[in-house]
Each structure stands twice: as structure tokens, then as C-alpha cells.
Amino acid sequence: MAASRLRRPAQAVSEFARYLRTETTGGIILLVATAIALLWANSPLKDSYHALRDFEIGPEFLHLSLSIGDWAKDGLLALFFFVAGLELKRELVIGELSRFKQAVLPVVAAIGGMVVPALIALGVGWGSPGMDKAWAIPVATDIAFALGVLALTASNLPSSARVFLLSLAVVDDLGAIIVIAVLFTTGFDLAAAGVAVAALALYAWLQHKRVRTAWLYVPLAVIVWVAVHTTGIHATIAGVALGLLTRVRPDEGEAEAPALRLEHRLQPWSAAVAVPVFALFAAGITVNADALSAVFTTALPLAVLAGLLVGKVVGILGASAIAVRTGLAEKPRGMGWRDLGALSLLGGVGFTVSLLIAELALPEETSELAKAAVLIASAIASLSAAALLLRRNRAHAGAESDDDTPAGPSRPA
């Protein structure tokens, strides 16, 4: 047991480094996909963009005749949420969130970073059509973009900064999942729900019996997704449920647990294909003087901007300060309040899940304004956080070089 305790930190560090590299690459691809969407949707070829996004494909049976944009939103993002579910399960069982002292601060910070943006958005947009659901748009933090910016700008920050941000984003994802499940369930098909529960129970039983063949799991995952989609619950919830039911502890003699094996195989597809393709069809909004003017003069998009840019910083940093000052939690090792402030600003990068909630919450015309606000806020937050992180990076690099400098001869008093 003592040996396993000694080995686990090294394994956790290497696993996190792999996760960070993949998400950083995915963040770059996501940025490219967003740029393509904006250019395409505002070019002379914009009709082809909308025609492709709105082209319907699939059988009418079980309500599966969906547009390509909806397939990206409901289908491909289920893969993203499956990987998020695997990461959440691993963190809860054997990772940073499994130990109380390490888990408290990012959990409290994530809760503050969800509640305060929602309250600020409601305060700014109160009474505007659609705000009964649009308050949820600034609740989310985008893992790929946030980790990507951190990796590119903060190589000298302690590893505890990256663990804090990842843990915060994982808890944030869980909150967004709950919001989606509660707010965006349209009707409820009891028979389909029964099929979904039975299929999930079979998946859990096969995991318990150590069955490993993909020939059973892939069809079963498809059945779960179709059943959840048919119930009226957003289909991405199927991915989360399957991820949380996957075994994360390896058996004796087993090289790696199924959750880690699946994460290795699927995370690159999630980061480099699923999320960028979703962004390609979600970020294609009209950008002109009138549209930009409407973002800054209409209550609802202003509420989204305020929630992401003000609410996230106040919520994450404020909740962290309260938790530390009351003795409930401790600051991550080697980090100061300025570091936490920069990471709090990085929490305002809402992107993927914020765009998803905007599409689910609002009709097309209003959702275009909300999505424009998400893109603008995410750009401002990422650039501002990058500038702060670069300063903190230089400060940590200077501190390290000072520590490495040999002490000279002492001066006379």
C-alpha cells in the first residue's frame, strides 16, 4: 500500500500532463473552427453555410430526423460529455476531488463561479424575454480554451494552478450538466426513460463483471443515447451517465482501468473533432455593425457579458477568499491571490457549453445575440487572462531564478 501511495502522485501528474496537452491542441483546433464559422457565415457563401447546417438527415423513427447542426449539438457533444464524465468520475474517486482538503477550494470556487454569474445575469437582464432560461448561459467554463490559454502562457506557474483550474472546470461541467437536465427537458417519455435506465443498469453490470468487449458496449451506448434523446432530456446527458458508470480503479494485473483506457482513446476525438465541429455550426453568427451594436445595447446579451466577465471573477475569487479566510480550505501550494485572480478571469471563457445553452434556451434570432456575447466575452476573458498570466509567469520565473542563485558573501552589518 505504501508503494502505491508513492506511485500515485507521479501517475497523476503524467496523466494530467497528457490531458493538458490534448486539451491545448483541441483548444487551438476549436479556435480555428470558430474562425472558419465566422468567416463562412459572413461571406458571400453564407447561404451554403446555413443550408449545410440546416440540412436534415436521419430516420423519422424515434425523432431522429435532425439537422446536421442538431446532430453536432446532440450527438457529437455527447462524446464530449462522456469524456467529461470519465474525467469527473476519475477525479471524484482517485483524483484531486477524492481528498477533502484538496477538493474543497475548487469545488467552492466552482459553485461561486456558477451562482454569482447567474445572479448578475438575472440582475442585468431582468424582465427581458428569454431571461427565464438565459441566466444559465454564463454559468459554464470551457475546459479546452481555459486549459489551452493556461498551457500557452503560464509554464512557470506551479502545477497546483493547473490542477485547480481542471478541478474547477470539472465541477463546473457537472453544474452545467444539471442545469441542462433540469431546464431543457421537453416533455417526458416514460417508456423511453425505462429503456434508458435498463440499458444503463446493464452497462454498470457489465462493468462490474469486468466485461471488456466493445461489441457489447458500443451498441449499448447507442441505445442509451437514443433512449435519452427520445425521453425529451437533452441527449448529452447520456454521455455523462455512461462516463460516471465506468470503472476507474484498475484490477490487480490490469495495466489501466476502463475509464483511463477510454479517455486515452476518445479524448483526442472529443477535443479535435466533436467540439470543433459543434463550434463550426454553432459559432456561425452574423457579425456587422448592427449586430455588434445590438450586443452592447440589448439587455439579454449585456447580461451574458456581465455574467461571464464580472460574475465569474467575483464568484470564483470571492468564494475562494471566503473559503480560505474561514479556514474551510487552503490556497493551492505555491500560488498567491494574484495567481488565483488570473485563473478566475480565465473562468470567464464560457464558449462550448455556453453556446450550447444559448441554442437550447433561446429562439434563433435572440440566440444569435447571446452567442455573439459569449464569443466576445470569451475573447476578452482569454486575452485579459493571458496578459495577467504572462505577468505572473514572469514573476514565478524570477522567483525561481532568485532561489537558484547561490548566496554571496555576507556583508558586514
Side-chain angles (χ1 to χ4, degrees), residues 12-24 83 87 90 259-260 263-265 267-268:
V13 170
S14 63
E15 178 57 28
F16 181 78
R18 182 205 63 79
Y19 188 94
L20 187 64
R21 284 194 299 272
T22 306
E23 289 297 339
T24 302
V83 174
E87 183 64 21
R90 191 164 60 82
L260 192 58
E263 197 175 321
H264 285 172
R265 291 179 181 177
Q267 191 200 356

Side-chain angles (χ1 to χ4, degrees), residues 15 18 53 70 87 99 185 201 220 239 253 257 281 284 298 305 336-338 348 375 379-380:
E15 178 57 28
R18 182 205 63 79
R53 185 192 64 186
D70 284 338
E87 183 64 21
R99 297 181 292 281
T185 296
L220 193 56
F281 292 111
T298 307
L305 284 169
W337 286 112
R338 292 181 183 179
L375 295 177
I380 294 172

Side-chain angles (χ1 to χ4, degrees), residues 62 189 191-197 199 222-233:
L62 298 176
D189 188 316
V195 172
V197 170
V222 172
I223 291 171
V224 171
W225 183 88
V226 172
V228 171
H229 175 79
T230 307
T231 61
I233 302 172

Side-chain angles (χ1 to χ4, degrees), residues 289-321:
D290 291 339
L292 290 176
S293 175
V295 170
F296 294 101
T297 57
T298 307
L300 191 146
L302 279 174
V304 173
L305 284 169
L308 286 171
L309 294 176
V310 179
K312 280 291 185 181
V313 178
V314 173
I316 294 173
L317 193 58
S320 298

Side-chain angles (χ1 to χ4, degrees), residues 17-356:
R18 182 205 63 79
Y19 188 94
L20 187 64
R21 284 194 299 272
T22 306
E23 289 297 339
T24 302
T25 303
I28 294 170
I29 298 172
L30 179 58
L31 187 60
V32 171
T34 303
I36 292 172
L38 289 169
L39 291 171
W40 191 359
N42 290 277
S43 73
L45 299 174
K46 62 183 178 182
D47 290 341
S48 65
Y49 173 83
H50 292 108
L52 179 62
R53 185 192 64 186
D54 299 335
F55 181 77
E56 292 192 359
I57 188 172
E60 289 288 347
F61 180 62
L62 298 176
H63 314 289
L64 292 178
S65 178
L66 304 173
S67 69
I68 290 179
D70 284 338
W71 276 111
K73 178 175 64 180
D74 294 354
L76 287 178
L77 277 194
L79 176 61
F80 165 77
F81 277 104
F82 177 63
V83 174
L86 293 173
E87 183 64 21
L88 176 61
K89 175 76 175 285
R90 191 164 60 82
E91 288 294 316
L92 288 170
V93 176
I94 59 175
E96 288 298 317
L97 300 181
S98 66
R99 297 181 292 281
F100 182 78
K101 273 291 185 181
Q102 287 84 355
V104 168
L105 189 61
V107 169
V108 170
I111 293 171
M114 290 184 285
V115 173
V116 176
L119 292 175
I120 287 179
L122 275 172
V124 173
W126 187 261
S128 299
M131 277 308 299
D132 58 323
K133 292 184 177 179
W135 60 263
I137 295 172
V139 162
T141 295
D142 189 274
I143 293 177
F145 261 144
L147 288 178
V149 171
L150 183 67
L152 292 171
T153 59
S155 58
N156 290 313
L157 258 67
S159 60
S160 57
R162 296 163 177 80
V163 173
F164 172 82
L165 183 60
L166 176 61
S167 302
L168 183 149
V170 166
V171 177
D172 195 289
D173 270 353
L174 178 60
I177 289 159
I178 294 171
V179 167
I180 290 170
V182 172
L183 285 187
F184 306 112
T185 296
T186 55
F188 193 75
D189 188 316
L190 194 59
V195 172
V197 170
L200 287 169
L202 178 57
Y203 181 92
W205 183 80
L206 291 171
Q207 285 287 300
H208 178 69
K209 291 298 182 180
R210 286 11 185 203
V211 176
R212 297 181 58 171
T213 176
W215 293 104
L216 280 175
Y217 286 120
V218 172
L220 193 56
V222 172
I223 291 171
V224 171
W225 183 88
V226 172
V228 171
H229 175 79
T230 307
T231 61
I233 302 172
H234 197 264
T236 52
I237 304 301
V240 181
L242 290 167
L244 292 175
L245 291 174
T246 304
R247 184 164 57 88
V248 297
R249 293 187 186 275
D251 289 336
E252 186 176 351
E254 193 175 26
E256 54 187 11
L260 192 58
R261 186 168 62 251
L262 285 168
E263 197 175 321
H264 285 172
R265 291 179 181 177
L266 297 178
Q267 191 200 356
W269 290 99
S270 169
V273 178
V275 175
V277 170
F278 164 74
L280 180 66
F281 292 111
I285 59 174
T286 301
V287 179
N288 53 40
D290 291 339
L292 290 176
S293 175
V295 170
F296 294 101
T297 57
T298 307
L300 191 146
L302 279 174
V304 173
L305 284 169
L308 286 171
L309 294 176
V310 179
K312 280 291 185 181
V313 178
V314 173
I316 294 173
L317 193 58
S320 298
I322 291 171
V324 171
R325 296 288 164 82
T326 57
L328 181 65
E330 299 174 354
K331 280 190 297 183
R333 187 178 62 257
M335 287 178 59
W337 286 112
R338 292 181 183 179
D339 301 319
L340 281 171
L343 294 178
S344 301
L345 186 54
L346 199 52
V349 182
F351 210 81
T352 305
V353 181
S354 291
L355 290 177
L356 173 63

Side-chain angles (χ1 to χ4, degrees), residues 409-413:
S410 58
R411 294 180 180 179

